[in-house]
Amino acid sequence: MKSLFQVVKENMTNLHLIFRLSIFELKSTNSNNYLGMLWEVINPMILISIYWFVFGFGIRGGEDVNGIEYLPWMISGISVWFFISQSLIQGSKSVYSRINIISKMNFPMSVIPTYVITSKLYHHMVLVGIIMFILLAFGYTPTVYSLQLPYFMAANLVLLVTISLITSTLATIVRDVQMIVQAVVRVLLYLTPILWTVEKLPESIRTIMKINPFYYIVEGYRSSLLGTDWYFLTNFRYTIYFWCLVLILLLMGSMLHLKFKDRFVDYL
């Protein structure tokens, strides 16, 4: 537990540094593109159009999902996926790709995955805003259930930082971990109910799928944006499972990070 408290303390006492570095990361990532940060919206919209055509028309034939048109149902869930996928990939290589610069300074290395993922959060918030306008066109206005959206954003951020604390440490030691993360991200898109529904699956399979913590996040976003229910309350046991899993992963990541952080330079 000592390692967990140390990592949490490093992040909390360096919040100002995290925000400053995340802004710098945001600007530097898009500095070489003519359209700049617009690509962070254009690319998702292109993919959403393709997924809508392939899954909405090609596979489902325009069929609704529990009385909700497929496009609103899909974009309310996929709104968070682009944030998840980019954060997992960039977070896993956040340490070793910056170690040459960071090692020369008195810098708390545990905040590296945090500020890298925080920089992706800004893009995510813009995309969610655009998707909310699209949902307005379909008649889905903000409701009282929209108030739970900040909770799921925060829960997702904590989960992504926690996972990246583990993967960034392992990827610094063994570069193959980065390739494994990329492969897992591709698989997660289809193992999480973003483009398809679980309604026709046996209850036992649905329960197994809920082991995936991103299932909780996606369904939470969907409930918030479509205004269906208080997901974190109506699925209270699932909420407890989610935070217990986050705590366990954070403990593992903290121990792993503190064990190897002084030797990161040796693995370059």
Side-chain angles (χ1 to χ4, degrees), residues 129-166:
I130 293 172
I131 284 176
M132 290 180 74
F133 275 109
I134 296 174
L135 290 174
L136 278 173
F138 284 86
Y140 294 95
T141 57
T143 65
V144 66
Y145 300 119
S146 302
L147 295 175
Q148 64 187 323
L149 185 58
Y151 159 76
F152 284 105
M153 281 188 175
N156 189 36
L157 180 64
V158 173
L159 175 62
L160 290 170
V161 170
T162 299
I163 294 175
S164 295
L165 190 63
I166 298 173

Side-chain angles (χ1 to χ4, degrees), residues 163-187:
I163 294 175
S164 295
L165 190 63
I166 298 173
T167 57
S168 63
T169 301
L170 294 176
T172 303
I173 301 169
V174 182
R175 293 291 188 275
D176 290 10
V177 171
Q178 172 65 24
M179 303 305 296
I180 294 173
V181 170
Q182 292 182 26
V184 170
V185 168
R186 295 190 194 102
V187 173

Side-chain angles (χ1 to χ4, degrees), residues 224-237:
S224 304
L225 294 172
L226 297 178
T228 54
D229 64 354
W230 294 106
Y231 190 80
F232 71 100
L233 289 177
T234 55
N235 296 270
F236 190 65
R237 290 184 179 179

Side-chain angles (χ1 to χ4, degrees), residues 99-152:
I99 195 67
N100 282 328
I101 300 174
I102 301 302
S103 61
K104 300 175 183 177
M105 301 182 290
N106 183 16
F107 192 89
M109 292 191 181
S110 66
V111 309
I112 300 175
T114 307
Y115 85 73
V116 170
I117 292 173
T118 302
S119 70
K120 302 298 178 185
L121 178 63
Y122 305 135
H123 298 146
H124 172 59
M125 294 173 71
V126 171
L127 182 62
V128 168
I130 293 172
I131 284 176
M132 290 180 74
F133 275 109
I134 296 174
L135 290 174
L136 278 173
F138 284 86
Y140 294 95
T141 57
T143 65
V144 66
Y145 300 119
S146 302
L147 295 175
Q148 64 187 323
L149 185 58
Y151 159 76
F152 284 105

Side-chain angles (χ1 to χ4, degrees), residues 4 7 11-12 21 24 26 31 34 57 61 78 80 109 115 133-134 150 159 161 195 201 203 244 247 249 254:
L4 186 151
V7 168
N11 279 264
M12 295 303 295
L21 289 172
F24 176 78
L26 178 67
S31 60
Y34 182 75
F57 289 102
I78 207 171
V80 69
M109 292 191 181
Y115 85 73
F133 275 109
I134 296 174
L159 175 62
V161 170
L195 304 173
L201 295 178
E203 188 63 34
C244 286
L247 182 61
L249 292 175
S254 301

Side-chain angles (χ1 to χ4, degrees), residues 15-32:
L15 282 176
H16 66 290
L17 182 62
I18 290 171
F19 287 121
R20 287 177 61 187
L21 289 172
S22 65
I23 294 294
F24 176 78
E25 181 81 11
L26 178 67
K27 294 178 180 178
S28 61
T29 301
N30 298 280
S31 60
N32 295 325

Side-chain angles (χ1 to χ4, degrees), residues 43 46 48 81 93 96 114 126 129 148 155 172 192 235 263:
N43 280 331
I46 292 173
I48 286 173
W81 174 251
K93 61 182 180 181
Y96 76 74
T114 307
V126 171
Q148 64 187 323
T172 303
T192 310
N235 296 270
R263 290 183 282 166

